Structure formats: structure tokens, C-alpha cells
Amino acid sequence: MAARPTTRFAPSPTGYLHLGHAHSALLAWRAAREAGGRFLLRIEDIDRTRCRPEFTGAIAEDLAWLGLDWDGPVRVQSAHFREYGAALDSLASRGLLYPCFCTRAEIAREVAAIGAAPHGPAHGPEGLLYPGTCRRLLPAERAARIAAGQPYALRLDMRAALAAVDGPLTYEEVGEGRLRCDPARFGDAVLARKDTPASYHLCVTHDDALQGVTLVTRGEDLRAATDLHRLLQALMNWPEPAYRHHPLLLGPDGRRLAKRDGARSLRELRAEGLDPSAVRAMAGV
Ligand code: GLU
């Protein structure tokens, strides 16, 4: 890991920040500040159906109230679709992507039709593994469907991608050493969605590379994604950061804090009269 790490907090503005976010942001901020490194704030708002501008403004405000400061301008992903498109073009030009026209229902039907494997249908970290239907389409069929205006996602041809990189991939997990990656468990992952011209996996790795992030600090829930992220970094010749996946903050019921479970937001805690140091203590950092 770099002696003066560049860390980042990269929330999606789908709601107000809660204590789980504060925990993650404070860990990243402290890792940078204690070592004289840099701390960046990035807004991951590519999903235009779930993200709202008022939450973007609230994120900066809540972090500043907590006492966090960040270096340089805030990167807002939705302003950079063209850059993500260029990365996709690079992968496509090497035959590593293919258009997928399937709907969720079609994928489920196809998986059922393939027949029940002894342990049921194959699942990856993101649910049912894609059975590869559109990978097998002939070029003329693909072209005809695109010309007819059928919406499509772009999927990574996992087998081709693994063949394009050297040897097994690993990453450095702070406190644990080098860990082996198994990106194949994602199957042919979606890198551009039908409704969004890029996916989380593509944008996050693109931006970590562009912004010189050397230490990715994020929740344990994203640990599996790192296997796929390392593959994208290898394919794109992007530098490899170190990772620190921190345990998720749990609520009193022992379950992870999330907006949908009514976790109180930082602004609710603030409205209840708590001061930043009390909230930082609650966030466990
Ligand atoms: N934007 C992602 C989220 O809010 C986090 C991305 C990351 O830290 O890699 O869950």
C-alpha cells in the first residue's frame, strides 16, 4: 500500500447518509489524513432512476457537518458517461463484450429449461448466472436486432476475458495479505445496462484508476466485487489499488443498517440534537 494513500468515499445518492455510511467515510478519511494522503469524494449516480440530486447535495453537507474534508473537486459520475463509453469501446474492440437482449424473465426461463443441475441453478454474487444465450448469437442476428432497435445490455465474455489476462489474479487486503480472485463466479457480468450506458463495476474501476486511488475502503458487502474489479483493471491496464473491506455496522437487531430498514439518517440524528462528535462515536470511528 502506498505510504501516503489516496482513499475515497463513493456513495450513491439514493437517500440520506446513515451511520453505516459515516463509518465507511470516516475510516477512509482517517486512513488518508493520518498518513498525509488524500481523501476524495465521488458521487456514484449513474443509475438515473434511483439517484436524486437533492441527495447529492445532502451528502456533501452531512460529511462537512461530521467534520470531514476532501481534496479536489467532487467527481460526479453521471457527467462522465462518455469516458465510460470509451472504456467499453476498448473492451469491445478486443472482442470481450457482446450485446445481450435478454429480459430477466427470459434468463429465468432459459435457466429453468437448461434443467436442474444437482444443486439447482448456478448463482453468482449478483444472483442467477447468465446462461450465455446471447453470446451464441450469430453476428448477423445481433446486427439485425440492434438495427431493429431492440434494447441491449453489454456483457463481458468471461471466458475470453480470463484468457486475455496473465495468470491468476490477486489483490492486497489490508491486514490479510494477498488474496486470490475468482472473477469467473460472476459469469458474463453486465458492464452496460439497458437503461444505463455503464455499470457500477466499470465506472468504479475506471474512476479509481483515473483518480489515482491507492486504497479502496468499502464495506464487506463489496468484497466479492473486487474479484471482478481486478479483472477489469488487468484488462484495461489500470493500476491496482490495495483494498480494505470493513465489517458492516449492524443495528441493534444485529442486521446491517440500511435505509430500507428505517436506519436513522445523519440528518435525523442531527435534528435530534446530537453533535458531530456523538455521531462519530456512534459510527464507531
Ligand atoms: N457506490 C457504491 C455504494 O454506494 C460504493 C462503491 C465502492 O465503494 O466501491 O454502494
Side-chain angles (χ1 to χ4, degrees):
M1 193 178 51
R4 293 169 182 261
T6 296
T7 69
R8 47 62 162 187
F9 177 54
S12 298
T14 56
Y16 292 118
L17 298 183
H18 54 66
L19 283 174
H21 293 113
H23 180 68
S24 202
L26 283 160
L27 282 178
W29 176 79
R30 208 177 56 184
R33 293 289 175 253
E34 281 179 356
R38 286 163 53 78
F39 172 70
L40 311 177
L41 174 61
R42 184 167 76 224
I43 302 297
E44 303 211 324
D45 62 343
I46 53 167
D47 185 339
R48 308 307 287 150
T49 58
R50 294 178 58 233
C51 297
R52 300 226 304 266
E54 68 263 34
F55 294 133
T56 299
I59 286 170
E61 207 178 285
D62 289 349
L63 292 177
W65 176 77
L66 263 187
L68 274 72
D69 56 345
W70 47 91
D71 299 298
V74 177
R75 181 171 171 91
V76 179
Q77 289 191 326
S78 59
H80 300 282
F81 281 121
R82 215 172 317 158
E83 292 166 50
Y84 308 132
L88 289 167
D89 287 346
S90 156
L91 293 168
S93 70
R94 287 177 273 157
L96 301 176
L97 300 184
Y98 63 87
C100 173
F101 305 91
C102 294
T103 61
R104 272 173 211 271
E106 280 165 351
I107 296 173
R109 270 202 303 276
E110 175 83 10
V111 168
I114 291 170
H119 304 292
H123 279 77
E126 298 182 320
L128 216 52
L129 276 194
Y130 182 61
T133 323
C134 288
R135 191 190 334 112
R136 293 183 283 271
L137 289 179
L138 296 174
E141 167 82 8
R142 275 184 191 152
R145 290 203 191 185
I146 292 173
Q150 262 194 37
Y152 59 91
L154 291 174
R155 286 185 182 272
L156 185 67
D157 182 332
M158 181 56 75
R159 207 172 328 160
L162 290 173
V165 299
D166 281 337
L169 295 166
T170 60
Y171 65 92
E172 181 72 22
E173 174 75 24
V174 174
E176 293 181 31
R178 284 212 86 78
L179 303 181
R180 183 92 173 246
C181 299
D182 177 20
R185 63 181 161 148
F186 280 83
D188 289 355
V190 170
L191 294 193
R193 288 168 25 178
K194 284 181 183 171
D195 55 359
T196 308
S199 76
Y200 156 66
H201 300 300
L202 183 87
C203 301
V204 82
T205 45
H206 174 281
D207 286 358
D208 284 339
L210 179 82
Q211 298 187 285
V213 171
T214 58
L215 174 62
V216 171
T217 310
R218 62 185 177 198
E220 193 61 53
D221 54 329
L222 287 168
R223 187 187 273 252
T226 302
D227 291 6
L228 180 56
H229 297 180
R230 286 289 299 117
L231 176 60
L232 294 175
Q233 286 156 1
L235 290 170
M236 295 301 297
N237 241 328
W238 287 332
E240 177 196 343
Y243 290 85
R244 178 176 178 196
H245 295 100
H246 60 76
L248 299 176
L249 213 57
L250 303 178
D253 57 358
R255 292 176 44 200
R256 69 178 281 200
L257 292 173
K259 292 184 289 286
R260 59 179 174 278
D261 302 324
R264 278 179 305 169
S265 65
L266 300 183
R267 31 194 66 206
E268 280 170 303
L269 296 169
R270 175 180 174 182
E272 285 168 22
L274 288 162
D275 64 23
S277 61
V279 172
R280 285 164 78 131
M282 287 170 80
V285 182

